[in-house]
Amino acid sequence: IAPTSASGAQPSDQDNWDNGRLARGQQLLTEIVLRNKLTTLVFDGDTTCRVLEQVLLRSYGVQTQGVDNGMDAIALIAFGAKFNLIIIKKILPIMNGLEVTRQIREIGVRCKMLVTACSGESER
């Protein structure tokens, strides 16, 4: 039985603009994450941004570890921590995100890395 609107009419395509694809996509992503036990390192000097990123990832079942600077991230990885994804803010305290990315690659890490936050016109 199809749901009806308050007027008793069947919902239109406009009411269901994605025909359930978004919900199915979110469910599939959650199943993949849970099946593969995905882990992400988030490092961002802004505590609010870091926590928000971690909360969003955790809502999909991704295990997260957060640090606030590049030196801590490098130390964590050097001690053997493994991640499926590393999210790096470009502008960080102590060392910028691009330099941290280079050093992590030199250690031998080959997981996906995402450097975020272009803040100025010249950086685009």
Side-chain angles (χ1 to χ4, degrees):
I1 297 176
T4 59
S5 66
S7 66
Q10 296 292 325
S12 69
D13 285 340
Q14 279 185 325
D15 295 335
N16 193 10
W17 60 271
D18 75 342
N19 295 321
R21 286 181 292 216
L22 182 60
R24 283 191 302 278
Q26 289 173 330
Q27 180 182 4
L28 179 61
L29 176 61
T30 301
E31 289 172 10
I32 291 168
V33 167
L34 293 174
R35 183 173 49 243
N36 294 300
K37 297 180 183 152
L38 299 177
T39 58
T40 299
L41 174 62
V42 177
F43 58 101
D44 191 322
D46 183 315
T47 303
T48 302
C49 290
R50 184 176 63 252
V51 169
L52 287 173
E53 289 174 58
Q54 288 183 270
V55 167
L56 177 64
L57 290 163
R58 287 177 184 159
S59 74
Y60 284 97
V62 177
Q63 297 173 2
T64 68
Q65 174 76 42
V67 295
D68 65 356
N69 67 72
M71 295 300 290
D72 288 347
I74 291 168
L76 187 63
I77 291 166
F79 282 113
K82 305 250 186 264
F83 301 98
N84 301 104
L85 173 66
I86 300 174
I87 300 175
I88 307 161
K89 186 169 181 181
K90 183 175 182 181
I91 300 170
L92 292 165
I94 303 174
M95 183 185 312
N96 75 48
L98 297 176
E99 180 58 31
V100 173
T101 301
R102 280 188 209 96
Q103 289 194 24
I104 290 172
R105 290 290 187 221
E106 288 174 6
I107 293 171
V109 173
R110 295 292 170 242
C111 72
K112 301 286 184 194
M113 287 195 254
L114 174 64
V115 179
T116 63
C118 291
S119 59
E121 189 65 32
S122 64
E123 294 173 341
R124 292 189 184 138

